[in-house]
Amino acid sequence: MDDNSIQERLVDRKAGDLKARICEELKKIWRVATPSVIARVSSFGTIVVTQSFIGHINAVDLAGYALVQTLSVRFVNGILIGMSSATETLCGQAFGAKQYEMMGIYLQRSWLIDLITLTLLLPIFVFGAQIFKLIGQEQGIAESAGYISLCFIPYVYGLIFSLTIQMYLQAQQKNMIIAWLSGLQFVIHVAFSCLFVYVLDFGLGGAMAALCISSWFLVLGEFVYIFGGWCPETWRGFSIAAFKDIWPVVKLSVSSGVMICLELWYYAILVLLAGYMKNAQVAINAFSISLNIVSWMLMFIVGIMGAACVRVGNELGRGDAGALRFSIRVLMGTSASIGIFFWIICFLFSTNITYLFSDDEAVIHTVSRLSLLLAFSALFACIYPVLSGVAVGSGVVLGYVLHLQVEGIWLGLAFGVLTETCAMIYLVWKTDWDQEVLKTSARLKRWNLE
């Protein structure tokens, strides 16, 4: 056999090994990601469905809902998601290191920290009307937003438990229960929304009541699963140990919360800017509908990034930097492929989707003008951004100085996401993962309670 034949066989063998490794890694990723995607799409779907019902009730209430959901709820949700991601990181690392008893402790610490944090932020919802009037929003929209802010309070308290429990269960690969409960939550939400809005004619209050009921159904279902004995290794009851060594977890939670909050908050700022444009009601409605369409699609990416946290945490806990690097490459390729798929969906069907949210032709026309920008925003955000709004200022310039209105603001958003994605790729590429393994091992030993 000549040298060329030997080299060809070696190349084929390496290609076959690489293909097998990619397939194996994809199985590990989707084993975690599939339930996570179902859960996130269903949970965020309740927000989108509520917007759809309110859009067919009253245009002013739709604008009020858009302000509260995009500004207040997104702000608080970003903080809670970020702080809860500390639970995901710590539980993932503890599971990889087989420190199972610590996972329940980390969960309880997160509940305590998140409850205190949300209570401190509660004035945002209690004084919603006054805040929106103070920042110059139209009188009718601000008053509607104030009422909707109060209705959102039970919902945001439910987020404390649903987010942290989801990450706790996901870290130990008990996430099919999350998918089932989230799917049932979505079905219950649609059923109650139809009952309260169309059958009983409760209007805006009925739509918000359906949202709160369905969100707490998910929380109660998760409580039953954990307390009912389905997590025997990781949940050993409430413990005073949750109060020990809590300060390092607070610092990790706060830093994660600020990071994610800034990422979500810059989208909210753009909706706020839309409220100062000509015909603010149409601008707010069109922009928030477009934003929620893209956000709902990107729940797929967020679900995959949840799987990334688990995979990275597991490999850090095991101390395998090589497997960690390979997992990151496969995750980025998967996310990019999904981003291209969503680019096609947004480009072709964004106008048709708008009819689900509003009958206002002015709103529908404005959204149709954003279809191309919607498509590229979904594509640019295919790798979940970790850094916050580097290029938001460009949207302000395009929207106001160059008078491009809503299109200008969305261009700024797209440039910002593109900048973040490039920065994210650079940071992941330059990270010394061997050093991160050493840091994780030291932290796990220091925080483990014998």
Side-chain angles (χ1 to χ4, degrees):
M1 186 179 294
D2 58 20
D3 291 342
N4 289 336
S5 298
I6 293 174
Q7 286 184 333
E8 287 176 1
R9 293 185 67 177
L10 287 174
V11 169
D12 290 342
R13 183 179 298 174
K14 288 180 180 179
D17 291 343
L18 178 60
K19 182 179 179 181
R21 288 183 64 197
I22 292 174
C23 290
E24 184 62 29
E25 183 62 33
L26 284 172
K27 288 179 183 177
K28 293 178 181 179
I29 291 170
W30 284 106
R31 190 180 299 124
V32 178
T34 300
S36 179
V37 167
I38 294 172
R40 292 181 183 277
V41 170
S42 298
S43 296
F44 190 78
T46 60
I47 290 285
V48 177
V49 167
T50 301
Q51 184 181 37
S52 176
F53 275 91
I54 293 175
H56 293 285
I57 294 172
N58 186 292
V60 173
D61 289 334
L62 177 61
Y65 179 86
L67 280 178
V68 177
Q69 185 262 318
T70 312
L71 291 170
S72 306
V73 177
R74 188 177 287 265
F75 172 67
V76 171
N77 192 36
I79 291 177
L80 294 178
I81 289 176
M83 297 183 75
S84 300
S85 69
T87 309
E88 189 170 39
T89 300
L90 294 172
C91 285
Q93 293 173 3
F95 187 79
K98 297 185 179 180
Q99 296 177 358
Y100 303 125
E101 71 285 349
M102 287 301 300
M103 296 179 69
I105 302 299
Y106 291 142
L107 178 62
Q108 294 172 55
R109 286 175 182 170
S110 293
W111 286 347
L112 180 63
I113 295 168
D114 288 5
L115 275 169
I116 294 172
T117 302
L118 180 56
T119 302
L120 293 175
L121 295 172
L122 204 58
I124 294 174
F125 296 92
V126 175
F127 302 105
Q130 293 88 334
I131 291 172
F132 287 118
K133 289 177 182 177
L134 184 65
I135 61 179
Q137 296 298 311
E138 291 184 359
Q139 177 83 8
I141 296 176
E143 291 178 355
S144 175
Y147 174 77
I148 293 171
S149 295
L150 295 174
C151 294
F152 259 116
I153 291 176
Y155 173 84
V156 293
Y157 267 100
L159 289 176
I160 292 173
F161 302 102
S162 62
L163 290 172
T164 51
I165 292 174
Q166 177 178 334
M167 293 174 180
Y168 159 80
L169 293 174
Q170 182 173 277
Q172 52 190 306
Q173 299 181 8
K174 292 180 179 289
N175 41 11
M176 277 309 299
I177 184 62
I178 301 170
W180 281 107
L181 289 174
S182 298
L184 285 173
Q185 175 198 13
F186 185 78
V187 172
I188 288 172
H189 178 67
V190 173
F192 273 94
S193 295
C194 291
L195 175 64
F196 291 162
V197 175
Y198 293 142
V199 178
L200 300 178
D201 198 22
F202 288 166
L204 176 61
M208 295 305 301
L211 179 64
C212 294
I213 291 171
S214 64
S215 66
W216 274 94
F217 166 83
L218 174 63
V219 173
L220 294 175
E222 291 172 335
F223 282 160
V224 169
Y225 185 80
I226 294 176
F227 301 155
W230 281 277
C231 300
E233 290 186 320
T234 59
W235 180 262
R236 300 179 182 179
F238 291 97
S239 172
I240 195 68
F243 295 91
K244 296 179 181 178
D245 295 326
I246 198 170
W247 181 242
V249 182
V250 170
K251 291 193 291 184
L252 179 61
S253 298
V254 170
S255 61
S256 300
V258 171
M259 179 179 66
I260 301 297
C261 179
L262 289 174
E263 170 60 37
L264 296 177
W265 181 240
Y266 85 65
Y267 291 98
I269 291 175
L270 300 182
V271 174
L272 180 64
L273 292 175
Y276 300 123
M277 290 184 166
K278 295 181 293 184
N279 202 344
Q281 184 176 300
V282 171
I284 291 173
N285 290 342
F287 197 92
S288 66
I289 288 171
S290 301
L291 183 59
N292 275 348
I293 289 172
V294 172
S295 298
W296 201 9
M297 291 180 174
L298 291 181
M299 287 300 105
F300 282 84
I301 302 298
V302 175
I304 293 173
M305 291 302 104
C309 290
V310 173
R311 290 291 301 124
V312 170
N314 289 165
E315 299 303 340
L316 281 172
R318 294 189 184 99
D320 192 340
L324 191 154
R325 293 189 192 95
F326 185 77
S327 181
I328 290 173
R329 294 189 185 103
V330 176
L331 282 159
M332 292 173 67
T334 303
S335 299
S337 300
I338 294 175
I340 293 171
F341 173 76
F342 285 146
W343 181 89
I344 297 171
I345 295 296
C346 286
F347 183 70
L348 295 178
F349 302 110
S350 61
T351 303
N352 298 41
I353 296 172
T354 310
Y355 283 100
L356 297 174
F357 298 91
S358 177
D359 299 322
D360 191 328
E361 289 298 328
V363 173
I364 293 168
H365 176 67
T366 303
V367 173
S368 68
R369 284 162 32 206
L370 292 171
S371 59
L372 183 60
L373 297 176
L374 275 170
F376 277 103
S377 296
L379 180 61
F380 293 157
C382 63
I383 299 174
Y384 187 69
V386 173
L387 305 177
S388 60
V390 178
V392 176
S394 63
V396 179
V397 174
L398 292 168
Y400 288 94
V401 179
L402 300 183
H403 306 293
L404 294 181
Q405 297 296 310
V406 177
E407 293 95 326
I409 293 180
W410 199 282
L411 275 171
L413 184 155
F415 289 141
V417 173
L418 177 60
T419 304
E420 290 174 328
T421 303
C422 293
M424 174 65 173
I425 293 172
Y426 176 78
L427 287 173
V428 171
W429 183 265
K430 298 295 290 184
T431 297
D432 185 346
W433 292 108
D434 294 292
Q435 187 64 29
E436 293 301 313
V437 166
L438 295 176
K439 291 179 182 178
T440 300
S441 298
R443 182 168 59 247
L444 288 170
K445 291 177 182 178
R446 185 172 66 253
W447 287 1
N448 185 36
L449 298 176
E450 296 296 338

